[in-house]
Amino acid sequence: MPEPRLIVPPCGPMTAHCFRLHPGEELMPALKQAAAIILARSKCESAFIITAVGSLERATIRLANASRTDGDDTGGNDIRAYNQRFEVVSLVGTFSADGSGCHVHISLADAKGNTIGGHLIDGTVFTTCEIVMGTADNVKFTRTMDDTTGYNELEVSQLPKQQSHVGKAIPAALMLLTAGFIAGRLKAR
């Protein structure tokens, strides 16, 4: 077993982006579209699902036995489609701005409280799906092929710190307020 690596994780200020999906919307395409819009608008290189609640009337997930490297000759990718109502009890994932992909997992509870979960392929919103996505300034998510797992896996890197739009706007606003105050004082004389 390899020695654990001590890694100082990349970090940056976080912003929350909140939205709601409506009945009949397809979950995975909506998540990808929302992430693309959020990443473009925020000029960030990483997005992630912070939390979500809601319900689905249909779900397709890949179960946990998926593997390309453990010698499993059963095909590995056990994808199951469920046509029933579920409560979304957990939805987590990461999205890359460079188009290299996303990775989303979901946990669902049925009418009896039984829970299933796995890699989200898709689902259809039943009543609502209320989602909070986050972005982290100066952090980049990319996905590259990992020969050990046989999948495109997440790589996280620290980007150089840049002054945020808020950081630029505050000094400019203060300068305008000061100029207005001085002009007002001069006019009052």
Side-chain angles (χ1 to χ4, degrees):
M1 176 178 254
E3 283 289 314
R5 297 183 291 160
L6 177 62
I7 298 173
V8 177
C11 63
M14 186 179 82
T15 303
H17 309 265
C18 312
F19 58 97
R20 175 183 174 227
L21 302 180
H22 299 273
E25 289 191 68
E26 296 301 314
L27 183 56
M28 198 62 187
L31 289 172
K32 289 178 180 179
Q33 181 183 34
I37 291 168
I38 289 166
L39 287 165
R41 181 178 70 191
S42 67
K43 296 182 174 53
C44 284
E45 298 287 324
S46 61
F48 43 90
I49 300 169
I50 298 172
T51 191
V53 294
S55 62
L56 301 180
E57 61 186 6
R58 182 193 63 77
T60 304
I61 60 176
R62 186 180 73 214
L63 301 180
N65 65 346
S67 173
R68 292 186 182 171
T69 60
D70 66 2
D72 179 8
D73 60 0
T74 63
N77 286 317
D78 188 4
I79 296 174
R80 302 250 176 110
Y82 300 90
N83 290 304
Q84 64 188 78
R85 294 177 182 165
F86 292 103
E87 286 292 319
V88 175
V89 295
S90 177
L91 181 66
V92 295
T94 57
F95 299 83
S96 304
D98 65 2
S100 63
C102 64
H103 190 184
V104 180
H105 283 202
I106 194 165
S107 292
L108 302 166
D110 66 16
K112 294 181 180 180
N114 298 313
T115 305
I116 58 168
H119 182 91
L120 177 64
I121 304 298
D122 205 2
T124 305
V125 174
F126 176 52
T127 59
T128 190
C129 196
E130 302 157 5
I131 300 163
V132 181
M133 274 192 176
T135 53
D137 294 348
N138 311 316
V139 176
K140 183 176 184 176
F141 290 170
T142 55
R143 295 201 161 277
T144 58
M145 178 55 72
D146 183 324
D147 293 333
T148 305
T149 66
Y151 290 99
N152 286 331
E153 301 291 2
L154 182 68
E155 288 190 19
V156 183
S157 55
Q158 185 76 56
L159 299 174
K161 293 191 187 238
Q162 299 173 358
Q163 190 175 18
S164 72
H165 300 300
V166 172
K168 293 176 186 175
I170 290 173
L174 288 174
M175 191 168 29
L176 286 172
L177 284 171
T178 303
F181 177 75
I182 292 170
R185 298 282 301 195
L186 291 174
K187 189 175 181 180
R189 289 186 179 177

